[in-house]
Amino acid sequence: MTLTELLAVLAILGILILMAYPVVMPIFQKAHSTEAKMQLKHLCTLQKTYYLEHARYGPDGKSIGFEQAALEDMGGTAKYRIEVVEAGAQSFSAQAVAVVDFDGDGQMNIWEITQNCQPVEIVED
């Protein structure tokens, strides 16, 4: 194989990758949002357990036994920071805020959950 043939193959692969990128990107974003929803549902389950024991929702992740996975911006793999925003005797809310700008538009994806345990996307990325 000559250098010219190799360069032609690389150019064709580059074009194919550029064509596939817009199709594949939403699949990656959906996978990332699944991470956020699963973590929020887990936090909600821990909040329900805490509520049964203390007749109120836990003020933070540590008090209910939630451990944040190491974030991607700190060398880990988690793409969302999970936080309890507010908690009281009747309700709580928590958010999953992306630490990575998935589509490069400067806006971070945010999901929220309350005591109904149904994640809702607040800011789309």
Side-chain angles (χ1 to χ4, degrees):
M1 180 179 278
T2 67
L3 182 60
T4 306
E5 291 171 331
L6 183 62
L7 289 175
V9 169
L10 289 175
I12 291 169
L13 285 174
I15 291 169
L16 290 174
I17 290 171
L18 286 175
M19 289 173 49
Y21 185 75
V23 174
V24 175
M25 195 58 187
I27 295 169
F28 290 138
Q29 288 174 336
K30 185 174 181 180
H32 297 321
S33 65
T34 299
E35 173 193 339
K37 291 187 283 187
M38 288 179 61
Q39 290 297 316
L40 286 173
K41 286 181 180 182
H42 176 62
L43 184 133
C44 189
T45 301
L46 293 172
Q47 281 285 27
K48 296 277 185 181
T49 303
Y50 187 92
Y51 183 84
L52 292 173
E53 295 174 2
H54 299 93
R56 64 176 291 108
Y57 292 104
D60 55 35
K62 185 176 182 181
S63 65
I64 63 173
F66 181 81
E67 291 186 33
Q68 170 72 56
L71 297 170
E72 191 172 274
D73 62 351
M74 298 178 150
T77 59
K79 293 176 178 25
Y80 288 87
R81 177 176 287 110
I82 312 296
E83 303 173 304
V84 175
V85 176
E86 67 175 279
Q90 300 299 317
S91 64
F92 81 92
S93 67
Q95 288 187 343
V97 180
V99 296
V100 176
D101 185 7
F102 301 122
D103 59 5
D105 65 355
Q107 193 166 353
M108 299 301 195
N109 187 226
I110 301 175
W111 286 81
E112 185 173 79
I113 198 164
T114 61
Q115 63 280 355
N116 68 4
C117 292
Q118 295 299 317
V120 176
E121 190 172 28
I122 303 299
V123 178
E124 193 174 322
D125 186 23

PDB file of all heavy atoms in Angstrom, residues 69-79:
ATOM      1  N   ALA A  69     -20.458   9.734  42.894  1.00  0.00           N
ATOM      2  CA  ALA A  69     -19.346   9.130  42.155  1.00  0.00           C
ATOM      3  C   ALA A  69     -18.364  10.224  41.762  1.00  0.00           C
ATOM      4  O   ALA A  69     -18.732  11.393  41.641  1.00  0.00           O
ATOM      5  CB  ALA A  69     -19.876   8.417  40.918  1.00  0.00           C
ATOM      6  N   ALA A  70     -17.121   9.861  41.572  1.00  0.00           N
ATOM      7  CA  ALA A  70     -16.094  10.835  41.175  1.00  0.00           C
ATOM      8  C   ALA A  70     -16.472  11.458  39.840  1.00  0.00           C
ATOM      9  O   ALA A  70     -16.765  10.759  38.866  1.00  0.00           O
ATOM     10  CB  ALA A  70     -14.736  10.148  41.071  1.00  0.00           C
ATOM     11  N   LEU A  71     -16.469  12.776  39.819  1.00  0.00           N
ATOM     12  CA  LEU A  71     -16.897  13.513  38.629  1.00  0.00           C
ATOM     13  C   LEU A  71     -15.828  13.502  37.542  1.00  0.00           C
ATOM     14  O   LEU A  71     -14.632  13.443  37.829  1.00  0.00           O
ATOM     15  CB  LEU A  71     -17.237  14.955  39.009  1.00  0.00           C
ATOM     16  CG  LEU A  71     -18.400  15.091  39.986  1.00  0.00           C
ATOM     17  CD1 LEU A  71     -18.507  16.515  40.488  1.00  0.00           C
ATOM     18  CD2 LEU A  71     -19.703  14.648  39.340  1.00  0.00           C
ATOM     19  N   GLU A  72     -16.284  13.590  36.307  1.00  0.00           N
ATOM     20  CA  GLU A  72     -15.380  13.557  35.164  1.00  0.00           C
ATOM     21  C   GLU A  72     -14.382  14.713  35.190  1.00  0.00           C
ATOM     22  O   GLU A  72     -13.229  14.549  34.816  1.00  0.00           O
ATOM     23  CB  GLU A  72     -16.180  13.589  33.866  1.00  0.00           C
ATOM     24  CG  GLU A  72     -15.346  13.303  32.646  1.00  0.00           C
ATOM     25  CD  GLU A  72     -16.192  13.154  31.407  1.00  0.00           C
ATOM     26  OE1 GLU A  72     -16.670  12.034  31.155  1.00  0.00           O
ATOM     27  OE2 GLU A  72     -16.358  14.159  30.696  1.00  0.00           O
ATOM     28  N   ASP A  73     -14.823  15.878  35.660  1.00  0.00           N
ATOM     29  CA  ASP A  73     -13.907  17.026  35.692  1.00  0.00           C
ATOM     30  C   ASP A  73     -12.869  16.911  36.813  1.00  0.00           C
ATOM     31  O   ASP A  73     -11.993  17.748  36.937  1.00  0.00           O
ATOM     32  CB  ASP A  73     -14.668  18.348  35.776  1.00  0.00           C
ATOM     33  CG  ASP A  73     -15.492  18.494  37.036  1.00  0.00           C
ATOM     34  OD1 ASP A  73     -15.637  17.512  37.795  1.00  0.00           O
ATOM     35  OD2 ASP A  73     -16.013  19.608  37.279  1.00  0.00           O
ATOM     36  N   MET A  74     -12.980  15.838  37.625  1.00  0.00           N
ATOM     37  CA  MET A  74     -11.997  15.583  38.681  1.00  0.00           C
ATOM     38  C   MET A  74     -11.340  14.217  38.497  1.00  0.00           C
ATOM     39  O   MET A  74     -10.896  13.602  39.459  1.00  0.00           O
ATOM     40  CB  MET A  74     -12.659  15.676  40.047  1.00  0.00           C
ATOM     41  CG  MET A  74     -13.238  17.035  40.347  1.00  0.00           C
ATOM     42  SD  MET A  74     -14.021  17.000  41.948  1.00  0.00           S
ATOM     43  CE  MET A  74     -13.778  18.676  42.448  1.00  0.00           C
ATOM     44  N   GLY A  75     -11.342  13.717  37.272  1.00  0.00           N
ATOM     45  CA  GLY A  75     -10.676  12.460  36.974  1.00  0.00           C
ATOM     46  C   GLY A  75     -11.550  11.226  37.077  1.00  0.00           C
ATOM     47  O   GLY A  75     -11.085  10.125  36.838  1.00  0.00           O
ATOM     48  N   GLY A  76     -12.822  11.375  37.421  1.00  0.00           N
ATOM     49  CA  GLY A  76     -13.726  10.239  37.531  1.00  0.00           C
ATOM     50  C   GLY A  76     -14.495  10.015  36.240  1.00  0.00           C
ATOM     51  O   GLY A  76     -14.112  10.488  35.169  1.00  0.00           O
ATOM     52  N   THR A  77     -15.615   9.305  36.360  1.00  0.00           N
ATOM     53  CA  THR A  77     -16.418   9.003  35.177  1.00  0.00           C
ATOM     54  C   THR A  77     -17.812   9.609  35.226  1.00  0.00           C
ATOM     55  O   THR A  77     -18.496   9.636  34.206  1.00  0.00           O
ATOM     56  CB  THR A  77     -16.558   7.476  34.989  1.00  0.00           C
ATOM     57  OG1 THR A  77     -17.165   6.922  36.156  1.00  0.00           O
ATOM     58  CG2 THR A  77     -15.207   6.832  34.738  1.00  0.00           C
ATOM     59  N   ALA A  78     -18.267  10.079  36.389  1.00  0.00           N
ATOM     60  CA  ALA A  78     -19.612  10.640  36.508  1.00  0.00           C
ATOM     61  C   ALA A  78     -19.687  11.980  35.783  1.00  0.00           C
ATOM     62  O   ALA A  78     -18.801  12.816  35.900  1.00  0.00           O
ATOM     63  CB  ALA A  78     -19.979  10.811  37.975  1.00  0.00           C
ATOM     64  N   LYS A  79     -20.766  12.163  35.051  1.00  0.00           N
ATOM     65  CA  LYS A  79     -20.940  13.381  34.278  1.00  0.00           C
ATOM     66  C   LYS A  79     -21.914  14.357  34.930  1.00  0.00           C
ATOM     67  O   LYS A  79     -22.130  15.455  34.428  1.00  0.00           O
ATOM     68  CB  LYS A  79     -21.407  13.035  32.879  1.00  0.00           C
ATOM     69  CG  LYS A  79     -20.330  12.302  32.105  1.00  0.00           C
ATOM     70  CD  LYS A  79     -20.808  11.860  30.768  1.00  0.00           C
ATOM     71  CE  LYS A  79     -19.776  11.168  29.925  1.00  0.00           C
ATOM     72  NZ  LYS A  79     -18.693  10.520  30.542  1.00  0.00           N
TER      73      LYS A  79
END
